[in-house]
Amino acid sequence: MKRVLIVDDAAFMRMSIKNMLSNYDFEIVGEAENGLMAIEKYQELQPDIVTMDITMPEMDGLQALREIKQIDPGASIVMVSALGQEARMKEAIIYGAKGFIVKPFKEEMIVSALSKL
């Protein structure tokens, strides 16, 4: 069972991802609402996978991605963001994101993306 940390500033999106993954072979070990909390929770929980929103207050997902990759170069982070973020998607891949999921997404999209990790 893969352990997942969900990072998104929108509580409804965290709940939505949590509900989608709960029907599959994933254990939600934690949630964070910004990049600073994501780094803290990553170090504390050491999840197998992180779903990371790009646009968040305090610290965005790209900065959190860079910081987590410095702590753990092998971290599996999948970026989750709205349409129109193509430039930021490319940046995330350069920084080491393992994939990208565009909102709004269907359950099978996120399950498929995370199952490959």
Side-chain angles (χ1 to χ4, degrees), residues 38-113:
I39 295 164
E40 187 179 299
K41 292 276 187 182
Y42 186 86
Q43 291 176 297
E44 175 190 332
L45 302 169
Q46 300 191 347
D48 299 313
I49 301 169
V50 178
T51 65
M52 179 84 69
D53 186 22
I54 287 184
T55 308
M56 296 182 289
E58 296 192 43
M59 179 188 287
D60 73 14
L62 292 176
Q63 183 63 37
L65 165 67
R66 287 195 298 263
E67 303 241 353
I68 290 171
K69 289 299 254 182
Q70 285 180 350
I71 295 163
D72 178 5
S76 291
I77 302 171
V78 175
M79 305 307 286
V80 181
S81 196
L83 281 170
Q85 297 279 335
E86 288 80 9
R88 300 192 88 194
M89 289 182 205
K90 289 177 185 167
E91 199 176 340
I93 299 301
I94 290 167
Y95 293 139
K98 300 281 188 189
F100 216 101
I101 300 166
V102 178
K103 295 176 187 175
F105 51 82
K106 293 185 175 2
E107 184 173 309
E108 53 270 14
M109 290 169 62
I110 193 164
V111 170
S112 173

Side-chain angles (χ1 to χ4, degrees), residues 27-44:
E27 175 189 0
I28 308 308
V29 294
E31 297 179 27
E33 59 192 47
N34 62 54
L36 291 173
M37 288 178 65
I39 295 164
E40 187 179 299
K41 292 276 187 182
Y42 186 86
Q43 291 176 297
E44 175 190 332

Side-chain angles (χ1 to χ4, degrees), residues 6 8 10-21 31:
I6 300 170
D8 199 299
F12 79 91
M13 185 55 66
R14 293 193 309 270
M15 182 61 71
S16 179
I17 293 171
K18 189 178 194 177
N19 290 340
M20 289 178 187
L21 296 179
E31 297 179 27

